[in-house]
Amino acid sequence: MRDLRPAEASYCRAEVTRPWGIGLQFQKGIRFHFVAEGSCWVLIEGSEPERLDQGDVVLLPHGTKHVIADDPESAVTDLALLGPRQISGTSYSLNTGGGGARSLIFCCTVDFEEPLADRLIGTMPAKLVFREGPNRTPSLGMLLEVMAAEMAEGSVGSATIMARLADAAISIIVRDWARDSDDHRRGWLAALRDRGLGPALLDIHTRPGENWSLARLARTAAMSRSTFAERFSHVLGVSPARYVLEFRMREAKRLLLDPSLTIPAIAARLGYASEAAFSRAFKRTTGNPPGQLRRLRTASEVRREPRA
């Protein structure tokens, strides 16, 4: 959950009247639609149409191309052709349709700092629907209502507030999915739930700079080295040593965003005896030296358009 750090987000308040159909092209990041009033259908190629009623949420973890419409048979117009009106920053409003029954849908797309969220998001299906009811975290509906109201108001600072609300809403949705889904036989979440692998992963995640030898991790998991290595590789698809390296490099990318941390300090925090050893490992894993990544990030921040 800690790795879900939004980098950019966009929002749209869609007020639609029957008949209507909106085509949304692939967009990098997590997308969700919240039906504040009325109803709609979500159509994704290769899956059955899904009806959403007032209070329901659909999450598209991979930014999948899809359609939302009042009916699966309605004519569809691409969103770009409908000309959403910019409210402020990355917030938009859209009014379209044939003048019949009205629905109000709140749409959000959030991109996360790469590749920090990849391991979690990559385990998720193309579409997740969360119906209003006792099994859904009660605060989710309140958060979504606040987001809708904040966007409609469009006051100074709304972009910052919306980003934080979206961060909280998506974190709740992902947590509810991870808690309730039983389709985790292999992969990262399966390892976290495993009585042996879970404690070992927790140690790696909370103290990445420790010397995590195979023997030490196996003791934490209460397994022999061979059993631990075999089970770890089977469930996670990589060896323990590779996992430790990849996790350290993801942490390094996060720490390099902090200008107050020097590269030698980052190297020491992640368990490297010298800056040179860290730089070699980082370049071998990511293709670029850490200093270059920091310069690219800084240049990107300078170019980014300021927001309220």
Side-chain angles (χ1 to χ4, degrees):
M1 300 300 296
R2 182 187 63 184
D3 288 345
L4 291 175
R5 301 185 188 92
E8 294 181 338
S10 60
Y11 317 92
C12 184
R13 180 185 186 274
E15 187 171 340
V16 289
T17 56
R18 297 189 67 177
W20 61 275
I22 303 172
L24 296 101
Q25 300 299 316
F26 166 81
Q27 186 170 341
K28 187 171 175 289
I30 286 183
R31 312 176 91 162
F32 70 81
H33 302 296
F34 166 58
V35 182
E37 298 177 22
S39 63
C40 74
W41 288 81
V42 179
L43 298 93
I44 298 176
E45 186 175 353
S47 66
E48 290 295 318
E50 190 95 42
R51 179 185 169 93
L52 302 181
D53 293 307
Q54 184 170 327
D56 292 344
V57 182
V58 63
L59 183 77
L60 307 171
H62 312 297
T64 307
K65 177 182 177 181
H66 64 288
V67 167
I68 55 174
D70 71 298
D71 185 273
E73 302 300 323
S74 290
V76 176
T77 304
D78 193 87
L79 176 63
L81 298 177
L82 292 174
R85 180 177 65 87
Q86 186 176 26
I87 300 173
S88 63
T90 55
S91 294
Y92 300 84
S93 68
L94 177 68
N95 290 270
T96 190
R102 171 182 177 272
S103 292
L104 180 62
I105 302 169
F106 173 65
C107 311
C108 177
T109 301
V110 180
D111 192 16
F112 294 91
E113 294 176 359
E114 295 290 352
L116 295 173
D118 282 357
R119 189 173 294 273
L120 177 59
I121 295 171
T123 64
M124 302 177 74
K127 177 182 66 179
L128 290 165
V129 176
F130 296 83
R131 310 258 180 220
E132 191 168 29
N135 293 329
R136 196 171 81 180
T137 298
S139 57
L140 176 61
M142 292 185 286
L143 272 172
L144 295 169
E145 293 285 358
V146 172
M147 288 179 72
E150 183 65 34
M151 189 181 71
E153 186 175 341
S155 299
V156 174
S158 284
T160 299
I161 293 171
M162 291 281 287
R164 291 175 181 170
L165 291 170
D167 181 17
I170 290 176
S171 294
I172 288 173
I173 290 172
V174 172
R175 183 193 63 188
D176 286 357
W177 164 76
R179 179 194 63 202
D180 297 335
S181 176
D182 58 2
D183 188 23
H184 299 314
R185 293 175 293 275
R186 295 183 65 182
W188 190 55
L189 287 171
L192 288 175
R193 291 177 170 184
D194 187 281
R195 289 186 177 183
L197 300 182
L201 284 182
L202 179 61
D203 279 349
I204 295 170
H205 291 184
T206 54
R207 302 195 302 279
E210 296 280 341
N211 178 23
W212 293 119
S213 66
L214 178 60
R216 187 176 177 187
L217 290 170
R219 284 196 301 272
T220 299
M223 300 179 187
S224 69
R225 285 182 295 177
S226 59
T227 299
F228 174 77
E230 181 180 355
R231 179 160 182 76
F232 193 102
S233 298
H234 173 73
V235 175
L236 283 157
V238 295
S239 69
R242 184 67 189 181
Y243 185 91
V244 171
L245 174 63
E246 290 178 353
F247 186 79
R248 284 175 174 169
M249 294 304 102
R250 287 197 299 275
E251 283 294 288
K253 289 182 178 182
R254 180 179 66 85
L255 295 172
L256 285 166
L257 297 177
D258 186 347
S260 69
L261 291 174
T262 65
I263 292 178
I266 293 172
R269 184 178 294 193
L270 295 177
Y272 290 91
S274 67
E275 179 183 354
F278 165 66
S279 295
R280 285 194 298 271
F282 190 89
K283 184 175 181 179
R284 186 170 61 249
T285 306
T286 68
N288 296 301
Q292 182 177 343
L293 178 66
R294 173 167 276 181
R295 288 191 295 273
L296 290 172
R297 292 276 188 161
T298 301
S300 176
E301 289 297 323
V302 169
R303 290 194 301 269
R304 185 173 294 173
E305 185 176 331
R307 299 173 184 169

